Amino acid sequence: MYPQFMSPTNLTLKRAAATLGVLGAASWWAGARAAKRPRLEHYTLPVLDPGAADLKVLHLADMHFYPGQEWLVDWVRNLSDLDFDLVVSTGDNLNDASGIPLLKRALEPLFERPGFFVFGSHDYYETSAGNPLAYLWRLPEGQRDADPIEPGTLRHTQEAAATSSVGPALGNPADFEVPPSRHGARRLPSRQIRNFMAEGGWQDLTNQGARVELIDGRTVAAIGVDDPHIRRDAVPGVPEGWEDAGVVRLGLTHAPYSRVLDAFAGAGAQLVLAGHTHGGQVCLPWLGALVTNCDLPPAFVSGTFPWPQPLGAGRIVKVPEDLHGVVSGPATADTSNARFVRDEEAAGSNPSPAETAEQAAPLQPAPTYVHVSRGLGTARATPWRVFCPPHATLLRLTTRATHP
């Protein structure tokens, strides 16, 4: 009896399957390694009124702390050695309650500077296990009109948007009821986290506004909302002195839903800071992110862009990354798993001054810019990033006049 030989078609299919398996394993390994190599990225954003002094803002988002991330604790603590005026945290600090001690150690040295913060859903609920790819086809929760509003939560309304530039704050955020579970995920001790950050000296912007006085006497005013992704957002009135000359006006939200960006732009915020998207977390070469996990298109998954988009542009307008400046940072902050990228690694990437001016030209009319961070962490169940490195950003806010 002759041996049974594999047909050419079956052999090709098996080889293809084996190749895909190897590529998949390599991508998983590379993605897991990349998730442990965050970067500090320096951006220059021309958002302030003419004559205003530069303001340096450290933006932290989506740290998702859980045990085993002591390397990230050290990396975040090292940021306190940098030169900046203000810290902004846009939420999703935890994976589960076991990460609270790590969060506290990471943030303690940063409390030496003034700051603002808002929460994301993973400051209220632990990350639940599930299909990590479900977000590719599932409508984001904050966009589902059919979803019932959970008892005790707040929801943005057209009336709030119409009156967002005036009026009082909406009450003590510690009093907002949080349902005991969400999609099977257990509730986190959110009040403990909120108290820790507030007692550290940072201003809580959960559906309210606040202002801080910097050491040099400058004033930064900000408004914020609770996480739109779980529909807890209610746009507050602006704080006193919002429209005073020289005051820097910020908006904070965890998830950059368009309804919130519309309201912040209507209130006159110069810069809106957000996180949530993880930059897509899994991106494809040349194609970029597949989803944003909110109602913005993938082109806005990270980076900086004017809002609303300029009418008549005929295309999506974003601030060119080269206009922001090179990715850089002090080598003294290196750790074994996480690094700052030195200037020379980005050398040669900047365009000529003429090219930069041409790229920046469409941005002149925009009164409000939005900066969406890729964030620093991942959920414990999905510990990888593919073509989407984690980062913190150091934003130098300068006047529009310096970038014609």
Side-chain angles (χ1 to χ4, degrees), residues 171-191:
N172 185 349
D175 294 334
F176 298 161
E177 180 184 349
V178 181
S181 66
R182 171 178 169 264
H183 304 319
R186 292 179 298 180
R187 179 176 169 178
L188 287 165
S190 54
R191 185 168 301 197

Side-chain angles (χ1 to χ4, degrees), residues 137-160:
W137 60 79
R138 186 176 59 203
L139 190 66
E141 183 172 343
Q143 196 180 344
R144 298 180 209 160
D145 291 336
D147 282 356
I149 301 176
E150 296 172 323
T153 62
L154 300 174
R155 186 179 182 183
H156 169 83
T157 64
Q158 292 299 323
E159 290 77 11

Side-chain angles (χ1 to χ4, degrees), residues 150-333:
E150 296 172 323
T153 62
L154 300 174
R155 186 179 182 183
H156 169 83
T157 64
Q158 292 299 323
E159 290 77 11
T163 60
S164 62
S165 60
V166 294
L170 297 175
N172 185 349
D175 294 334
F176 298 161
E177 180 184 349
V178 181
S181 66
R182 171 178 169 264
H183 304 319
R186 292 179 298 180
R187 179 176 169 178
L188 287 165
S190 54
R191 185 168 301 197
Q192 175 187 343
I193 305 165
R194 190 186 307 279
N195 290 343
F196 163 70
M197 298 176 78
E199 290 167 3
W202 291 358
Q203 298 293 315
D204 183 1
L205 295 183
T206 302
N207 294 328
Q208 60 185 351
R211 51 187 287 165
V212 298
E213 304 292 331
L214 303 181
I215 295 176
D216 60 8
R218 288 179 294 169
T219 299
V220 181
I223 53 177
V225 294
D226 210 348
D227 189 6
H229 189 62
I230 54 174
R231 307 205 313 174
R232 291 180 60 83
D233 53 302
V235 179
V238 299
E240 183 180 356
W242 175 262
E243 296 182 350
D244 290 355
V247 172
V248 178
R249 303 182 300 276
L250 304 179
L252 270 66
T253 177
H254 174 65
Y257 278 84
S258 59
R259 65 179 183 265
V260 175
L261 304 186
D262 288 342
F264 284 166
Q270 294 163 310
L271 177 65
V272 178
L273 297 154
H276 175 68
T277 67
H278 293 201
Q281 189 162 335
V282 176
C283 299
L284 300 179
W286 302 291
L287 295 179
L290 301 176
V291 294
T292 62
N293 205 20
C294 65
D295 65 349
L296 297 184
F300 298 130
V301 74
S302 66
T304 309
F305 47 90
W307 193 270
Q309 287 282 285
L311 294 175
R315 60 185 175 85
I316 290 174
V317 175
K318 294 185 70 176
V319 176
E321 291 198 358
D322 287 329
L323 181 63
H324 297 182
V326 297
V327 176
S328 61
T332 55

Side-chain angles (χ1 to χ4, degrees), residues 25-40:
S27 297
W28 184 93
W29 176 85
R33 186 171 183 269
K36 294 185 176 182
R37 292 178 64 81
R39 323 193 291 188
L40 175 71

Side-chain angles (χ1 to χ4, degrees), residues 49 82 89 174 279 281:
D49 296 332
L82 300 174
S89 172
Q281 189 162 335

